[in-house]
Amino acid sequence: MQSQLINNQWSDSRMEKHRFVCADEFGAMMSCIYEAWRWGNRGFIVELAVESEDNYQLFCVEHRVEVDEERAEKVIRSIRGKISYRALELVYHCAMSVIPEKLEVIYRFLRLGFVIGPRVTETLTEEPVMRIFEISRRVGNEAHRFNQFVRFTRWEGGILCSVIEPKSNVLTLIAPNFAERLISEHWMIVDKKRKLAVLHPADSRWYLRQLTGEEYDRILNFDRDHEEYALLWKTFFHHIAIEQRKNPQCQNNFLPKWYRENMTEFR
Amino acid sequence: MERSYTLDEKLAILSDAAKYDVACTSSGVDRKGKHGHLGSSISAGICHSFGADGRCITLLKILMTNECVFDCKYCHNRASNDVPRATFTPEEICTLTMEFYRRNYIEGLFLSSGVRKNPTSTMEQMFQALYLLRVKYGFRGYIHVKGVPGADPQVIREIGYLADRMSVNLELPTGDGLRLLAPHKTRKTILTPMRQIQQGIAQERLRVGVGEKMERAYRMKELPGSIFNENNLRLQKRTDEAILQLDGSGGTETSRKKFGESVDLCPDNRVSMSGRLDAGSEAGGCRADGLASASAGGLVPWAEDRGLSYVPAGQSTQMIIGATGETDYQIMRVAESLYRQFDLKRVFFSGYIPVNEDSALPGLDTPVPFLREHRLYQADWLLRFYGFQADELLSEDRPDFNVLVDPKCDWALRHLEYFPVEVNRADYALLLRVPGVGVKSARRIVEARRNGRLDFPDLKRIGVVLKRAAYFLTCNGRQMYPIAIEEDVLTRCLTADEGKKRWEVEHPQTYRQLSLFDDMHLAMMPTVEDCSKAAFGQF
Ligand code: SF4
């Protein structure tokens, strides 16, 4: 049975799987959706993925899709217009996840969404809808944690700088929160793993930026632990706990250990 | 007597001294950021860290000073204790708040204080700090400030415009307890500012046209049995006043001079707070016509000019549990009366932690009453979101909570005549009373059954905890397990599960302390008021 299937794939190109691969970046992902969509409409079997080290697959034709602003824009507009803003939100959150099959999930969600329309976000019994909710919720939770746990250090020159190591690509999800509360401050938050930073000059809009090697090194070499207020904060943190109510288990639940590496009070 | 300390030493002393205060929330107010200012506030609140005791850290919780002329027996800072004393200057409070906030350590400031000289002058200094923070430094984060019992109504009035939330500690559930352990405080000096703040909030709310009483989640004001229902509020007025030991005619509103007693009230204080600040020119930029005096409920021009509103996130209080001999029933009745007659947003319970040796106090080896505190919070939840009243949960004959099962199960087991409840017919109020059915599930059931009859698998999907609810529900007349609805049978089924939880609550050092939400099957935080909110924010 198995071999027969493979034979068929070779004999009829429509039975072949076409794999669309792109960079792990929202614009590229949307361009990739656009491309895969066209092939899918013509009856080809398509599969989508973002680039990673181990994504080479046998028995399929691989298409590498580069970002195309215009096409990405079209996809985004259609999601918002033909499905809903909520759907776009889900798609965006999901796209920020680290889960390898996220792009495939988005594609299948959209396939359904463009048929059903706005109601798609209520049809929780459909597998792709359930999946996108689940992934996007996980990303949202992580972003919420970083709204809580981001710690800034003040550099000479007055810039507030924070280094984080999130699993999901949360920078653009948390930036609005900080833009609100630190509206008249210069600040930046650096994603150590992705070498990405969100930058916010005082009183203007924030933007995203890929760091150069030199910038990255400078940021990581900066001393985050001996600033006057960092020390004061540690003092406060240790004195505010009640000895008789000690409860490490509860602390771990609310503040999982992996977040602590970059938090002033735990360093 | 007060030696000079570094800022770090002061912070150590004054956060140590503030740590027994339980409230740590930053919820109840939405405020956007503004150019040239620092901070914003979101009504769900944000926790920024979790201390070694598992409590969330949201606000910079400090005393302004731990000097104190009062001698509350249970308190580390009481006048008769020989402890290091320190005082923050208003500038230091501002700097710490601003710099901590910038670094995303905190959502704002929780300022409390020992009584330096007298309550009024203490609160005047607190006012100074907050005025600087809000007006000079343009801080838009969250501020919670304690009201000191016995302070002049004017400073209470004016400081409320700088704070989001105010709280006056009830300290102990009864007046007798106060007399025994907090000789400088009386029910009246505590309830007077509480009443004043309530009236200030009501006035403000009417001014902006949102109705006098605070919002309550899930339309609790409309639920017939609810403590927030206007009818109950009126009906229970007399009883509540008796419980709170107010005199029949609303005694707390009569002249404050009567309850001065041992407290120096500074009766000549008739100059607006900001006016006085101007005179000292500490704050700067404040208009001289602020001098127009504000009476306890009158206009406060400097605040209104700036568009500040009065205690927008409402009022809370806390009381110590287990230092005096009250029963759970007494405590719940007091909490309920406070919700009803003072429109408090929250009542917090603080399990007694011994710090002083004193013949009037429980011994130093008294364990923290974790389980009792937990049960009281569960019951508080039932009052606020489930439409229960204290009298349904406990009585003179059954004055304490069951240690074996939570208060909701306990009620159900004593009221088997209501069960089983038919899911497809029962009204919302009754569904709320079924163990294992949370607020959100009950709402979803009502919603979902419009489209067809519900069965057990549907309930599971809705989020009902069948492990408990199964014993109390039928779907289309059918029970899930063929089991007799009898008290001892059900008790056995339900306590099997409770045992482990109870152990965890009593031994927080070794096991995860159960959160209320696990216990109450609350799929969703009604208002994110509690410390444990972070992990549950997603629901
Ligand atoms: S008033 Fe009482 S509780 Fe407050 S600091 Fe003074 S002694 Fe302590």
Side-chain angles (χ1 to χ4, degrees):
Chain A
M1 184 69 207
Q2 186 67 26
S3 68
Q4 173 130 39
L5 208 97
I6 292 170
N7 277 340
N8 275 347
Q9 281 186 344
W10 289 116
S11 60
D12 178 359
S13 78
R14 299 233 168 198
M15 291 303 288
E16 252 175 287
K17 210 194 280 169
H18 290 261
R19 192 175 154 83
F20 295 81
V21 178
C22 68
D24 191 358
E25 185 268 322
F26 193 63
M29 284 187 251
M30 292 302 104
S31 314
C32 193
I33 297 267
Y34 186 97
E35 190 61 16
W37 196 273
R38 296 201 314 178
W39 286 71
N41 280 354
R42 277 185 263 137
F44 292 98
I45 299 169
V46 302
E47 188 184 283
L48 295 82
V50 291
E51 280 169 343
S52 69
E53 280 109 50
D54 49 85
N55 65 9
Y56 178 73
Q57 288 211 352
L58 284 169
F59 308 121
C60 64
V61 184
E62 187 161 307
H63 304 251
R64 156 94 223 184
V65 184
E66 298 300 329
V67 58
D68 178 326
E69 301 285 349
E70 213 170 293
R71 290 178 165 187
E73 191 51 45
K74 262 190 199 155
V75 175
I76 294 168
R77 243 195 338 256
S78 321
I79 299 174
R80 202 165 32 197
K82 299 201 179 108
I83 309 178
S84 63
Y85 184 75
R86 175 75 184 116
L88 180 59
E89 224 171 44
L90 285 168
V91 167
Y92 190 83
H93 272 71
C94 183
M96 297 301 117
S97 161
V98 273
I99 293 174
E101 66 273 20
K102 64 184 180 183
L103 193 51
E104 182 67 22
V105 171
I106 293 174
Y107 180 78
R108 288 191 291 125
F109 169 75
L110 291 177
R111 273 273 164 211
L112 212 61
F114 283 120
V115 175
I116 309 183
R119 267 191 317 109
V120 70
T121 46
E122 279 141 47
T123 53
L124 288 169
T125 41
E126 295 285 351
E127 208 261 348
V129 182
M130 222 164 65
R131 285 286 288 149
I132 204 167
F133 264 96
E134 186 189 307
I135 297 171
S136 119
R137 191 186 321 123
R138 219 175 303 161
V139 171
N141 288 347
E142 194 184 343
H144 178 68
R145 293 277 175 103
F146 278 100
N147 280 332
Q148 304 176 272
F149 303 145
V150 155
R151 296 289 179 261
F152 290 100
T153 312
R154 205 191 250 293
W155 286 8
E156 321 98 278
I159 300 177
L160 296 164
C161 179
S162 171
V163 176
I164 58 174
E165 293 168 76
K167 290 181 179 139
S168 315
N169 189 359
V170 296
L171 283 184
T172 56
L173 300 175
I174 63 176
N177 170 52
F178 293 102
E180 185 77 40
R181 52 189 45 212
L182 303 176
I183 192 166
S184 291
E185 306 280 335
H186 299 292
W187 56 260
M188 68 172 147
I189 304 173
V190 176
D191 181 332
K192 193 169 161 182
K193 191 174 68 187
R194 295 180 179 81
K195 298 196 178 187
L196 263 181
V198 55
L199 287 102
H200 176 273
D203 297 304
S204 36
R205 297 168 65 108
W206 57 268
Y207 58 94
L208 204 60
R209 177 189 160 87
Q210 194 74 52
L211 295 173
T212 66
E214 191 207 340
E215 286 167 336
Y216 180 78
D217 292 340
R218 252 194 79 198
I219 290 166
L220 290 197
N221 283 333
F222 190 78
D223 176 8
R224 297 191 250 167
D225 303 315
H226 299 92
E227 207 205 1
E228 182 189 2
Y229 291 100
L231 296 174
L232 285 165
W233 170 241
K234 288 185 201 187
T235 298
F236 174 78
F237 181 78
H238 294 299
H239 283 270
I240 204 69
I242 298 176
E243 179 61 29
Q244 293 92 326
R245 303 188 67 113
K246 218 168 174 167
N247 194 339
Q249 215 67 34
C250 187
Q251 187 187 29
N252 290 347
N253 263 352
F254 292 126
L255 211 174
K257 291 227 163 85
W258 73 272
Y259 286 97
R260 301 185 190 180
E261 204 160 310
N262 292 301
M263 292 175 70
T264 317
E265 59 269 38
F266 294 102
R267 286 166 67 94
Chain B
M1 37 175 239
E2 193 173 304
R3 78 160 241 251
S4 73
Y5 290 107
T6 64
L7 189 56
D8 191 68
E9 289 165 332
K10 282 190 188 181
L11 184 59
I13 294 171
L14 294 168
S15 51
D16 239 332
K19 70 184 169 197
Y20 297 107
D21 224 294
V22 272
C24 70
T25 67
S26 65
S27 53
V29 61
D30 267 312
R31 188 165 40 234
K32 293 230 147 245
K34 196 170 167 185
H35 288 287
H37 295 244
L38 178 72
S40 63
S41 194
I42 55 172
S43 117
I46 298 185
C47 275
H48 284 274
S49 195
F50 290 88
D53 49 12
R55 298 190 304 166
C56 91
I57 300 176
T58 295
L59 304 171
L60 169 62
K61 183 156 52 178
I62 46 172
L63 299 193
M64 179 183 73
T65 179
N66 69 333
E67 281 192 35
C68 196
V69 296
F70 284 9
D71 201 44
C72 308
K73 298 227 165 29
Y74 45 83
C75 174
H76 182 69
N77 307 309
R78 63 185 191 179
S80 57
N81 273 7
D82 181 22
V83 295
R85 307 276 175 179
T87 303
F88 281 127
T89 64
E91 283 287 349
E92 284 170 336
I93 292 171
C94 293
T95 313
L96 283 174
T97 309
M98 297 289 284
E99 294 303 331
F100 279 13
Y101 191 94
R102 278 197 178 99
R103 287 161 181 75
N104 205 40
Y105 300 160
I106 53 170
E107 273 307 281
L109 172 66
F110 182 132
L111 188 63
S112 181
S113 186
V115 184
R116 199 173 138 129
K117 279 194 0 220
N118 59 54
T120 300
S121 95
T122 305
M123 286 214 68
E124 281 170 2
Q125 277 192 37
M126 294 164 88
F127 178 91
Q128 274 196 25
L130 298 191
Y131 190 87
L132 279 182
L133 187 59
R134 273 275 195 255
V135 177
K136 179 174 165 193
Y137 291 103
F139 179 68
R140 292 171 67 80
Y142 196 86
I143 297 179
H144 179 154
V145 67
K146 276 278 167 223
V148 181
D152 187 274
Q154 189 170 343
V155 66
I156 300 271
R157 173 75 185 153
E158 299 204 21
I159 206 168
Y161 283 97
L162 301 169
D164 292 298
R165 169 162 294 181
M166 286 190 74
S167 57
V168 184
N169 286 354
L170 192 71
E171 305 291 8
L172 295 154
T174 61
D176 290 342
L178 270 182
R179 261 189 297 283
L180 185 68
L181 298 184
H184 296 91
K185 294 174 182 167
T186 65
R187 255 303 155 66
K188 279 181 177 173
T189 56
I190 291 168
L191 294 181
T192 302
M194 212 187 262
R195 177 69 82 204
Q196 189 198 338
I197 295 165
Q198 175 195 12
Q199 288 168 342
I201 293 171
Q203 207 176 55
E204 175 78 14
R205 292 179 60 86
L206 289 175
R207 190 178 65 81
V208 298
V210 290
E212 176 179 356
K213 292 272 168 22
M214 297 298 290
E215 275 80 29
R216 300 293 169 178
Y218 298 133
R219 298 164 67 184
M220 283 299 287
K221 290 182 195 175
E222 291 158 41
L223 202 70
S226 153
I227 57 167
F228 300 120
N229 185 299
E230 287 284 342
N231 289 329
N232 284 318
L233 225 130
R234 268 195 309 275
L235 282 171
Q236 303 293 335
K237 190 157 189 283
R238 296 290 275 281
T239 331
D240 287 343
E241 285 176 349
I243 287 167
L244 295 174
Q245 296 157 323
L246 294 162
D247 66 50
S249 59
T252 54
E253 287 153 57
T254 55
S255 161
R256 68 195 155 76
K257 287 199 182 103
K258 274 199 201 150
F259 351 118
E261 288 146 14
S262 56
V263 181
D264 172 10
L265 273 176
C266 298
D268 293 330
N269 174 10
R270 276 289 154 247
V271 180
S272 150
M273 297 301 306
S274 67
R276 246 178 292 166
L277 272 188
D278 273 352
S281 79
E282 266 202 82
C286 176
R287 293 186 7 217
D289 63 3
L291 281 166
S293 150
S295 68
L299 298 176
V300 180
W302 64 261
E304 275 152 33
D305 290 350
R306 292 184 169 81
L308 296 168
S309 55
Y310 188 81
V311 197
Q315 184 177 200
S316 63
T317 193
Q318 66 171 30
M319 54 182 126
I320 302 169
I321 301 309
T324 40
E326 295 83 8
T327 62
D328 291 346
Y329 180 53
Q330 280 174 296
I331 293 166
M332 286 318 296
R333 295 258 289 189
V334 167
E336 176 183 68
S337 304
L338 287 169
Y339 282 125
R340 272 200 294 242
Q341 304 307 331
F342 286 80
D343 200 27
L344 296 189
K345 200 69 188 162
R346 279 299 302 273
V347 174
F348 291 96
F349 308 105
S350 156
Y352 176 70
I353 299 171
V355 290
N356 295 326
E357 183 119 52
D358 197 301
S359 59
L361 290 170
L364 277 179
D365 53 356
T366 307
V368 184
F370 287 113
L371 183 62
R372 187 172 186 207
E373 194 187 84
H374 188 66
R375 290 278 182 260
L376 286 165
Y377 276 120
Q378 290 179 314
D380 172 75
W381 229 249
L382 293 179
L383 257 49
R384 290 189 299 129
F385 305 117
Y386 288 78
F388 280 89
Q389 299 190 23
D391 269 329
E392 297 179 278
L393 300 173
L394 298 167
S395 64
E396 298 286 0
D397 304 330
R398 266 182 101 106
D400 291 304
F401 286 115
N402 190 336
V403 292
L404 297 175
V405 292
D406 71 61
K408 193 178 178 189
C409 275
D410 191 52
W411 178 86
L413 289 171
R414 285 183 290 111
H415 293 87
L416 293 177
E417 67 274 17
Y418 291 105
F419 299 105
V421 161
E422 170 54 46
V423 170
N424 290 297
R425 268 197 317 272
D427 68 5
Y428 177 66
L430 187 54
L431 285 173
L432 274 182
R433 299 194 161 216
V434 179
V437 177
V439 177
K440 193 153 191 192
S441 316
R443 292 167 71 89
R444 282 188 183 152
I445 289 173
V446 174
E447 192 83 359
R449 68 189 179 187
R450 286 197 200 122
N451 304 323
R453 306 189 71 79
L454 300 176
D455 210 337
F456 288 104
D458 301 314
L459 294 185
K460 191 163 182 201
R461 218 168 303 127
I462 278 171
V464 172
V465 182
L466 286 175
K467 204 164 59 175
R468 284 163 186 237
Y471 306 117
F472 300 95
L473 290 175
T474 55
C475 286
N476 308 310
R478 224 167 29 80
Q479 258 189 292
M480 193 157 141
Y481 314 120
I483 190 174
I485 305 223
E486 281 165 14
E487 184 168 349
D488 48 344
V489 179
L490 291 178
T491 307
R492 225 174 309 125
C493 295
L494 291 164
T495 45
D497 180 42
E498 267 287 313
K500 182 165 157 266
K501 285 191 198 164
R502 202 171 57 242
W503 203 84
E504 288 174 8
V505 172
E506 282 173 325
H507 302 84
Q509 279 85 349
T510 36
Y511 266 77
R512 170 171 106 75
Q513 189 170 0
L514 266 175
S515 84
L516 280 168
F517 321 108
D518 287 354
D519 250 29
M520 305 301 281
H521 322 299
L522 255 194
M524 184 181 161
M525 291 287 307
T527 52
V528 192
E529 275 273 342
D530 288 74
C531 300
S532 337
K533 70 194 165 208
F536 300 88
Q538 69 268 32
F539 292 105

